[in-house]
Amino acid sequence: MLEKIETGTAEIAVIGLGYIGLPTAIMFANAGFKVTGYEIREDVVERINSGKAHIVEPEIDELLRRAVESGNLKATSNPRDIEGKDAYIICVQTPLKDDRTPDLSYLENAVRTVAGAMKRNSLIVIESTVPPLTTVKMATLIEELTGFKAGEDFHMVHAPERVMPGRIFKELVYNSRIFGGITPESAELAESLYRSFVKGQTFKTSSTVSEVVKLMENTFRDVNIALANEFAFLAHQYGIDVFEAIELANTHPRVRIHSPGIGVGGHCLPKDPHLLLWPAKEDFGLIRLAREINDSMPLFTKDLLFSALRELNVPPEDAVVAVLGLAYKGDSDDTRNSPALAFIGAIEGDVAEVRTYDPFVGGSAGSVEDALREADAAVIATDHTAFKSLDWEKLGKLMRTRILIDGRHVVENPPRGFLFKGVGRGEY
Ligand code: SAJ
C-alpha cells in the first residue's frame, strides 16, 4: 500500500463531491492519482465530468478542467465504479437534526457504500466533522459488514478538513493537517497519501484525538464569541462602546477578544459544539451556555430595534424594516444558519413589512435604496464590505423614520440625523 502511494499508483475514491470533496478529489487527481469521485446527485456528476464545477471557488474551474482532461478524475453515481480502490476518502455532511442531535445518516450510508466496494488492505479516511469516537464505531460497522478486521485487513483514519471557502485551494496545500488513525500505521498511510499535495505541517495521532481537535477548534471560536457577546451585553448597561474596550484590551500581548454581533451562523460553529458534547455523559455547561448566548443574539438585536421604534413613537405593527445582509458572514453568499434569517424570523409578524437586500444573495429589494425607501429602520445583519461605505446621510433622505441598527459593527461613526443603536455600542 505504502509503495502504491509513494509511486502515485494508488487508486482513490472520494465519496461526496461537495465543498470539500470536489476540491480534494481535484488535488489528488492533479497530483497524479487516478481518482473516482462518487456522488449521488446525478446532475452534479454530469457537470463535473464535463469539466464544470457546481460550486463557486477561486481557481476551481481551471483546476477541475485540468483534472478531467488529464483523465485522472471521473465522477460517478454508480457504486460499482468505486469497487476495489486502494483509498476511500469520505467527505459527506454531518448536519444536526431538528432536536440538535447529529444526523449521521449521510456518513453511515457512505461507510456502507465503501464497505460494499472495498477490498482487503484499503485505507478509509473520514474528513467529515464527527462526534468523538465515531471513526472507531464506523470501523466496527465495516468489520460487521465485510468480515475484515480493523487495523489488520483495512486502515482507517480521521483527517478533518480545515479550509475556508474562498481560500480552499490555498488552504488545502498550506494549512497543517491532523491524521488520526485507528492504528499508527493507518495514520502513517494517510499522511503519506496527503503529502502528495499538502505543504503545511502534518501531525499523526489517534482518531478520537483528531475528532476532538476539529471540534475544539470551532467550539473555541463559538465560546469566545459568546464571551464577546456577554461583554457587549454588559457594555450596554455601562453605556460604553464595547468595540473600543475590546480594541484596548487586545493591546495586551496575551489577550485576543473576538467580535460581538447579531449572532453566529454557518455550517460549523453553531453545530460543532453540539457534536463535541453529544457522546459525553456529563459536561460543565459552559459550551451549552455559549451556544445559548450566541443563539439569543438575533433576539437581542430585535430588542435594540424595538426600543428604537418606541423611542421615536413608531408602533412596531406599522413599521417597515429593511434588513441589509442575509449571508452568515461578510462577502459570502452562504445563508446557512444565518443570524440574519433568525432575526427576520423573530421580527416577522411583529412589524408591518420586512424588506431584505444582500448584494451576494439577492433579497426582496433590488438595491439598498429600494430597501430603504419609506422604511422606518435599517438593520445591518451582515458585514459585507460594500455596506461599510454606504452614505447614510444621503440614504436617510429616502427613509420615513431614520433608525439605524448595526448588528455587525459595520458603521464606525453613527450618522447624523439618525437614531443609532448597535450590538455592543452602548454609548449612543
Ligand atoms: N463571528 C462573530 N464574531 C467573531 C467571529 C465570527 O460573530 O469574532 C461569526 C461570523 O459572523 C459568522 C460565524 O461567527 O456568522 C462563523 O464565522 P467564522 O468565520 O468564524 O467561521 P466559518 O464557519 O466560516 O468557518 C470556520 C473556520 N474556522 C476557523 O476560523 C477556526 C474554518 O477555518 C473551518 O474550516 C470551518 O469553520 C469548518 O469547516 O469547520
Side-chain angles (χ1 to χ4, degrees), residues 24-345:
T24 303
I26 292 171
M27 293 306 291
F28 279 119
N30 289 343
F33 292 98
K34 289 271 179 250
V35 180
T36 310
Y38 176 78
E39 165 63 54
I40 46 178
R41 293 171 291 177
E42 285 176 17
D43 53 322
V44 170
V45 168
E46 248 173 64
R47 261 189 89 94
I48 292 172
N49 284 335
S50 68
K52 290 193 206 86
H54 64 293
I55 58 172
V56 181
E57 179 65 28
E59 298 173 75
I60 195 164
D61 292 323
E62 172 58 30
L63 293 169
L64 173 61
R65 201 169 333 115
R66 203 199 310 164
V68 172
E69 279 172 9
S70 67
N72 279 356
L73 176 62
K74 281 197 183 67
T76 182
S77 297
N78 185 350
R80 301 206 60 170
D81 293 338
I82 56 166
E83 279 177 4
K85 300 295 177 193
D86 298 296
Y88 293 88
I89 297 173
I90 299 178
C91 304
V92 295
Q93 53 173 329
T94 48
L96 291 183
K97 298 185 207 158
D98 288 342
D99 66 358
R100 298 192 176 172
T101 61
D103 176 0
L104 297 177
S105 62
Y106 299 90
L107 180 69
E108 260 192 54
N109 286 338
V111 166
R112 284 177 191 278
T113 305
V114 170
M118 66 190 266
K119 59 183 180 186
R120 196 180 289 271
N121 284 330
S122 301
L123 166 67
I124 298 148
V125 178
I126 297 178
E127 285 214 20
S128 311
T129 306
V130 293
L133 306 167
T134 301
T135 305
V136 169
K137 281 186 199 148
M138 292 299 141
T140 308
L141 177 62
I142 293 176
E143 285 183 327
E144 284 163 17
L145 293 167
T146 60
F148 292 150
K149 183 107 191 60
E152 285 175 23
D153 300 324
F154 66 94
H155 311 280
M156 196 143 178
V157 174
H158 182 249
E161 59 81 15
R162 285 170 149 177
V163 294
M164 177 191 261
R167 297 177 41 88
I168 291 182
F169 287 100
K170 281 189 190 65
E171 295 206 355
L172 274 176
V173 175
Y174 293 105
N175 283 1
S176 54
R177 294 289 296 245
I178 313 281
F179 299 96
I182 55 164
T183 58
E185 194 193 352
S186 298
E188 230 154 83
L189 287 172
E191 183 186 43
S192 28
L193 183 62
Y194 279 76
R195 273 266 158 233
S196 61
F197 66 83
V198 172
K199 296 202 175 97
Q201 282 181 289
T202 52
F203 302 93
K204 296 185 286 288
T205 181
S206 72
S207 61
T208 309
V209 168
S210 165
E211 291 161 345
V212 170
V213 167
K214 170 70 193 180
L215 297 168
M216 287 199 309
E217 289 166 4
N218 283 335
T219 302
F220 170 85
R221 277 177 81 71
D222 197 45
V223 172
N224 275 283
I225 296 167
L227 179 63
N229 284 332
E230 174 109 81
F231 289 154
F233 189 45
L234 296 171
H236 279 268
Q237 298 170 52
Y238 303 145
I240 60 159
D241 182 335
V242 81
F243 292 94
E244 185 192 355
I246 289 174
E247 206 180 312
L248 293 174
N250 283 348
T251 62
H252 185 292
R254 286 171 295 282
V255 173
R256 185 68 208 98
I257 300 171
H258 284 57
S259 299
I262 190 171
V264 172
H267 54 301
C268 304
L269 267 60
K271 173 188 76 154
D272 289 358
H274 291 290
L275 298 192
L276 178 60
L277 295 174
W278 185 60
K281 284 194 195 75
E282 282 179 287
D283 59 87
F284 286 139
L286 172 68
I287 298 170
R288 279 175 211 282
L289 179 59
R291 270 287 68 243
E292 277 170 35
I293 291 171
N294 290 340
D295 274 348
S296 75
M297 292 312 287
L299 289 175
F300 179 72
T301 312
K302 177 185 176 178
D303 287 347
L304 292 180
L305 168 66
F306 277 52
S307 76
L309 291 170
R310 268 195 308 274
E311 271 178 55
L312 295 189
N313 297 317
V314 179
E317 61 276 18
D318 296 339
V320 175
V321 180
V323 177
L324 303 185
L326 293 169
Y328 83 87
K329 69 180 195 179
D331 298 338
S332 153
D333 66 349
D334 196 337
T335 57
R336 282 178 289 180
N337 297 315
S338 177
L341 301 182
F343 172 77
I344 291 166

Side-chain angles (χ1 to χ4, degrees), residues 319-376:
V320 175
V321 180
V323 177
L324 303 185
L326 293 169
Y328 83 87
K329 69 180 195 179
D331 298 338
S332 153
D333 66 349
D334 196 337
T335 57
R336 282 178 289 180
N337 297 315
S338 177
L341 301 182
F343 172 77
I344 291 166
I347 62 166
E348 249 169 359
D350 293 345
V351 297
E353 188 187 341
V354 181
R355 295 186 198 145
T356 56
Y357 173 71
D358 187 300
F360 294 86
V361 183
S364 67
S367 64
V368 176
E369 287 78 9
D370 284 349
L372 293 182
R373 202 161 282 121
E374 292 299 308
D376 296 297

